[in-house]
Amino acid sequence: MHSPSGVELAGLASLLAAVPAVALLGNSGRRHTGAARRAHLLLAAGAAVATGAALAGLVSALFMAHDEMRQHVQTLGQAVAVAMALGTLTLLAGTLMLPGAAENRRAALRHLLDGLVIAAAIWFVGWTLVSDPTRILGDLTPVRCLSVLLGAGVATIGAGLTTILAVHAHRPRHITVRVSAGVTLVALSATLVPGGICQGGPIVVLLGALMLPAGLVVVARAVKVADRPVTVAGDITQRGTGYAFWPMAAMVLAGTAHILAGGEFTGFGFLGACIEGFALVSRQYVALGDVRSYTLQLRQREAHFRELAHTDPLTGLANRRGLLRALRETPVPGHPRTLVGLDLDGFKNVNDMRGHDIGDAVLTEVAERLRTVLGAGDVAARLGGDEFAALMQATPDEAMAVGERLLAVLCEPYETEDGSIFLSASVGVAGSLTPGDTGELMRDADLALRYAKQRGKNRVERYQKRYDELLRRHSVLENELRHAIDRGQLRLVFQPVVALPSVRPVGAEALLRWHHPELGSVRPDEFIPVAEESGLIGSLGAWVLDQACAQLAQWLAAKHDVWVSVNLSPKELHAADYAGQVAAVLDKYGVPPQRLVLEVTEHAVATDMDELIRRLVELRSTGVRIALDDFGAGYSSLGQLRNLPVDILKIDHALVAEPESRTGMAAPLVDVVVRLGHRLGLEVLAEGIGTPAQREVVEEAGCRLGQGSLFGWGVPAEHLEAQLRAGRATAQRPVPAPRSRKTGGAPSAPARSQIVMLGPGMRQVRAVLPTDPAFSSDQDMRSVDAPREMGQS
């Protein structure tokens, strides 16, 4: 055994400095979990193997006899080279497994192959430099210790992998690049230490001994933050390909220079070229697999997005696009298809009162109920909001039966966290489908659904051809109605309101008429709904109010004691500042407010009662009077009648024309309504009087005002004015009432109503019978329009 030199001792001390770095790597591996733990443990294991091999080789070289060392120097160098190469390869594997180096194993394989491409180029260029004729290392060329080449090969792989990670690792890249660079230093050490031992060069061993701890310290410091979050960009289209071009260019240039200098290709050069070729082919094979996988992902995503584009996200049913796609599919021969449209009645109130979360829960439950009713081959869809549809493999008759079952199922209560919700539905059924009429079928189903809602909702309607004619008629009426005022096609007629029993006209109801030059006379019950649906009712109502007040002003200027009533739609009533509009029109023509009566239909009473009362109070504050039209049609209750701020009660014509009951009394409800109205301090007007018998019944009930065909239809203003002049000139006395058909006794006069003062500011209307002392058959009805007579407080 010889005495170690200072250089050898320095190398040994340097290798001992690598032990703490190995300990740090091992401790880091114990602190982590998952993939990071495996990567850190691999790094620690590789560092331990490389450090142990280097220490063992250096100690063996120091304490072995010099003569014996010469005999075993190559064997020792080979053993150290193999052991340190294994440790370095383990370090490289741990580097590829670090978080941020690669998103998966396939990506790690790509990095490795890319590194081999660069490594093979470095190997080939290095071979051209160290071999003849260049031979840049001169006598230091390790020709006697071929095992050094193993470490050199691992070092080139480390250098190539470092380059690739610097380009393609996930951000932040500096962490993995530092680890890979540290491993490359260890790989260089695995080349120098065995080479120095084999060649007998202590300076080379010292350089290798210095590189090993330096590389391990770099790795140990970098892995402390190697598991921090990284930005993953897995799109293969964003990867560069320059790494494949420049290595090949370097090999071509180096090989050309080597040949021109007179060099020859040996096995090591051929090995580098073969590795480069196989690495490139393998990389292209992997790239082809990446492209194939990427294409498959694109197809899957496209199919997924296409499905999302045809699916309703809330219910999971098809949406409108999905339904159209199903409609465009060629139907199976012999299997007719029918489209069913469905709309929930009153669903908007659910969203407004319970919130959209409850509304969404109800819609989801509707979808589930649709699935339970429909068959396997049927397509259910949510078209938007509360509108659904179903494409059924059935005939229209079968679809009608399914529609009835749908009504029964959808009308069942919906149990939510906010309580039970009750809804109904309207269903429209369109006939069987033939190829090419998709749009027509959907339009037919929409038409059927529309008429189902117009006819009372909660019903099933099947499409009929006449619906097209009605739709075209509706469209024409809407378009023409927009210009009817400007073109002078509208006019007002006035139906007289007479005092009973004198039959003298005391008022008139303004009725709107439309005469079109091509369509002819259009009925109000046809164009008024069109105006309400299209939003034209506001402009029509304003025109009617203006014309009625203008005519009323003319009659009043002519000293006619008369009042005029105008029908008021619910939309007008709820319009902003409608009371101000009425007051402005009255002021424009100088009409006393009490001479104008605004008639509210009983249908409006079915809406929000508090809001209705507020609106009517605003109108009455202008001085006009309010009449409740069509009383008895089905909505009003006694409690509502007591609370409503109205002045006149108009008995519906259905009550006036009611046939005799089993008791033998004709129209028994007329008497009840008249007495009820008088008890509440209201004036009562019976409309729809068409026969003398009906007039007799109304008069016997004590009703003082009448209206109907018996007294005249709606006539132009000049005709009614002639009646007013005739009534004022002749001052006819009332005709005595005919003998009662029920008693068969002496003639008796009809009952009347009389206002009785109960105290200061208090009064009550009561029925005055012919037997009462206060009854007078020649009661004057000329002042019937005064607020005192009309129940105005």
Side-chain angles (χ1 to χ4, degrees):
M1 182 177 67
H2 72 285
S3 300
S5 65
V7 174
E8 293 173 333
L9 292 176
L12 182 62
S14 298
L15 290 177
L16 291 175
V19 176
V22 176
L24 287 175
L25 288 173
N27 184 53
S28 178
R30 288 192 299 270
R31 289 188 294 104
H32 289 84
T33 59
R37 178 184 177 87
R38 290 192 294 270
H40 289 202
L41 290 179
L42 280 175
L43 291 173
V49 171
T51 302
L55 282 172
L58 186 57
V59 170
S60 298
L62 289 177
F63 294 99
M64 189 180 288
H66 193 68
D67 294 337
E68 296 176 355
M69 183 177 178
R70 287 183 178 275
Q71 298 175 1
H72 302 286
V73 63
Q74 292 186 359
T75 303
L76 179 61
Q78 291 175 358
V80 173
V82 171
M84 293 191 71
L86 289 176
T88 306
L89 290 175
T90 304
L91 284 168
L92 289 174
T95 302
L96 287 175
M97 294 181 62
L98 281 174
E103 62 268 19
N104 50 45
R105 293 183 179 180
R106 192 175 185 87
L109 177 61
R110 288 196 300 267
H111 291 338
L112 181 60
L113 290 175
D114 293 339
L116 282 177
V117 171
I118 297 177
I122 295 174
W123 174 278
F124 186 85
V125 173
W127 168 77
T128 60
L129 294 177
V130 299
S131 61
D132 292 329
T134 306
R135 201 174 175 82
I136 62 172
L137 295 181
D139 295 336
L140 295 179
T141 303
V143 294
R144 292 185 300 113
C145 191
L146 300 180
S147 60
V148 176
L149 299 177
L150 180 61
V154 175
T156 57
I157 294 175
L161 186 60
T162 301
T163 304
I164 292 300
L165 291 178
V167 176
H168 292 307
H170 303 307
R171 294 182 177 86
R173 294 171 179 165
H174 65 89
I175 298 173
T176 50
V177 172
R178 284 167 55 191
V179 174
S180 180
V183 174
T184 302
L185 289 177
V186 175
L188 290 174
S189 174
T191 303
L192 296 177
V193 171
I197 293 175
C198 183
Q199 294 287 100
I203 300 299
V204 176
V205 173
L206 178 61
L207 290 176
L210 291 174
M211 285 185 179
L212 180 64
L216 292 180
V217 169
V218 171
V219 173
R221 290 179 59 86
V223 295
K224 288 184 177 181
V225 291
D227 56 341
R228 290 181 181 177
V230 295
T231 304
V232 178
D235 190 354
I236 63 173
T237 62
Q238 299 178 0
R239 301 172 190 155
T241 56
Y243 63 86
F245 173 77
W246 295 112
M248 285 299 300
M251 290 181 64
V252 171
L253 292 176
T256 302
H258 183 71
I259 294 175
L260 292 177
E264 298 179 354
F265 275 97
T266 63
F268 295 112
F270 181 75
L271 176 64
C274 290
I275 292 176
E276 181 75 9
F278 279 109
L280 285 174
V281 172
S282 300
R283 185 63 182 86
Q284 294 303 315
Y285 179 80
V286 173
L288 182 62
D290 289 341
V291 172
R292 187 181 296 109
S293 175
Y294 187 72
T295 303
L296 180 61
Q297 292 179 9
L298 286 180
R299 290 178 179 176
Q300 292 175 346
R301 291 176 183 176
E302 181 182 1
H304 175 66
F305 290 136
R306 187 184 298 111
E307 190 63 26
L308 287 180
H310 293 84
T311 304
D312 177 60
L314 176 63
T315 62
L317 302 178
N319 58 11
R320 187 177 294 274
R321 293 190 186 92
L323 180 63
L324 289 174
R325 181 178 62 178
L327 285 170
R328 294 190 187 102
E329 295 177 356
T330 303
V332 180
H335 291 77
R337 297 194 294 178
T338 304
L339 186 62
V340 177
L342 186 148
D343 190 85
L344 300 178
D345 302 328
F347 179 76
K348 184 178 183 300
N349 294 331
V350 177
N351 281 335
D352 294 342
M353 303 300 295
R354 306 289 185 96
H356 287 275
D357 292 339
I358 299 298
D360 290 346
V362 171
L363 292 176
T364 304
E365 178 62 22
V366 170
E368 293 298 325
R369 297 184 185 184
L370 275 176
R371 293 188 181 99
T372 60
V373 174
L374 298 179
D378 301 336
V379 178
R382 178 184 175 223
L383 305 183
D386 60 342
E387 185 178 357
F388 294 81
L391 180 60
M392 301 178 57
Q393 303 286 342
T395 64
D397 292 335
E398 294 171 342
M400 289 289 291
V402 173
E404 295 292 346
R405 291 202 302 270
L406 279 174
L407 285 186
V409 170
L410 297 178
C411 288
E412 295 178 359
Y414 297 85
E415 300 298 336
T416 66
E417 60 184 16
D418 199 25
S420 299
I421 295 177
F422 296 88
L423 293 173
S424 62
S426 301
V427 179
V429 178
S432 54
L433 173 67
T434 57
D437 61 352
T438 298
E440 183 178 354
L441 183 71
M442 293 195 68
R443 185 184 64 86
D444 294 346
D446 287 340
L447 274 178
L449 176 59
R450 176 179 178 178
Y451 281 98
K453 297 185 77 69
Q454 287 184 352
R455 294 181 177 180
K457 304 179 181 180
N458 194 27
R459 58 186 295 132
V460 182
E461 284 289 338
R462 181 175 175 177
Y463 169 76
Q464 301 178 27
K465 289 238 179 241
R466 64 185 183 88
Y467 290 170
D468 289 326
E469 300 176 2
L470 295 175
L471 178 63
R472 283 192 293 268
R473 173 79 172 179
H474 185 282
S475 179
V476 171
L477 291 179
E478 180 179 344
N479 292 333
E480 295 299 321
L481 192 58
R482 295 183 182 277
H483 310 286
I485 296 178
D486 297 334
R487 295 171 180 173
Q489 298 172 1
L490 299 180
R491 64 187 180 92
L492 289 184
V493 297
F494 298 88
Q495 186 175 24
V497 176
V498 301
L500 297 176
S502 65
V503 197
R504 185 181 60 82
V506 293
E509 180 179 0
L511 303 174
L512 181 61
R513 296 293 183 263
W514 180 21
H515 184 80
H516 191 274
E518 297 178 1
L519 301 176
S521 296
V522 185
R523 294 172 54 87
D525 57 359
E526 185 179 12
F527 71 80
I528 292 299
V530 173
E532 291 180 344
E533 291 181 15
S534 60
L536 298 173
I537 192 65
S539 59
L540 289 183
W543 185 85
V544 170
L545 179 64
D546 183 86
Q547 295 297 309
C549 289
Q551 184 59 58
L552 179 58
Q554 294 180 17
W555 286 337
L556 294 178
K559 306 302 182 181
H560 295 299
D561 192 3
V562 68
W563 47 268
V564 171
S565 64
V566 175
N567 290 284
L568 179 62
S569 72
K571 290 187 177 180
E572 290 180 279
L573 179 62
H574 291 84
D577 195 29
Y578 183 73
Q581 300 176 28
V582 173
V585 174
L586 292 173
D587 183 67
K588 174 182 177 182
Y589 294 105
V591 174
Q594 66 271 18
R595 297 283 181 168
L596 178 64
V597 177
L598 297 178
E599 297 188 10
V600 181
T601 61
E602 200 178 12
H603 174 71
V605 179
T607 60
D608 186 357
M609 180 59 64
D610 294 336
E611 177 67 13
L612 177 65
I613 292 175
R614 188 178 70 83
R615 294 287 184 174
L616 293 180
V617 169
E618 290 179 357
L619 284 175
R620 291 187 75 192
S621 65
T622 64
V624 302
R625 290 173 295 174
I626 306 298
L628 181 59
D629 197 8
D630 299 333
F631 183 79
Y635 286 106
S636 296
S637 67
L638 296 180
Q640 291 175 341
L641 187 60
R642 182 179 57 186
N643 296 325
L644 284 174
V646 296
D647 306 285
I648 306 174
L649 196 62
K650 297 189 68 173
I651 306 176
D652 186 70
H653 63 85
L655 298 185
V656 174
E658 183 183 13
E660 292 187 359
S661 65
R662 289 177 296 177
T663 61
M665 298 175 58
L669 291 181
V670 172
D671 181 74
V672 174
V673 173
V674 171
R675 293 179 179 272
L676 173 64
H678 289 172
R679 285 286 185 180
L680 295 176
L682 305 177
E683 187 58 73
V684 181
L685 189 157
E687 57 181 349
I689 301 176
T691 64
Q694 293 172 359
R695 171 192 169 187
E696 178 185 354
V697 172
V698 170
E699 291 180 355
E700 288 181 353
C703 185
R704 299 193 303 165
L705 298 174
Q707 181 181 0
S709 60
L710 183 63
F711 313 117
W713 297 100
V715 295
E718 56 271 18
H719 293 180
L720 182 61
E721 185 173 6
Q723 297 181 28
L724 294 174
R725 286 197 302 266
R728 187 174 60 179
T730 59
Q732 294 179 351
R733 298 183 64 85
V735 179
R739 182 186 300 269
S740 174
R741 293 177 297 173
K742 302 176 183 59
T743 60
S748 60
R752 296 177 181 165
S753 58
Q754 183 184 63
I755 297 177
V756 179
M757 300 303 296
L758 303 179
M762 300 177 60
R763 67 181 188 277
Q764 179 66 59
V765 178
R766 71 178 182 90
V768 184
L769 300 178
T771 56
D772 292 338
F775 182 83
S776 176
S777 59
D778 59 350
Q779 181 180 359
D780 187 5
M781 295 298 297
R782 289 177 295 177
S783 59
V784 72
D785 59 316
R788 176 176 56 83
E789 295 292 332
M790 299 302 294
Q792 177 103 2
S793 57

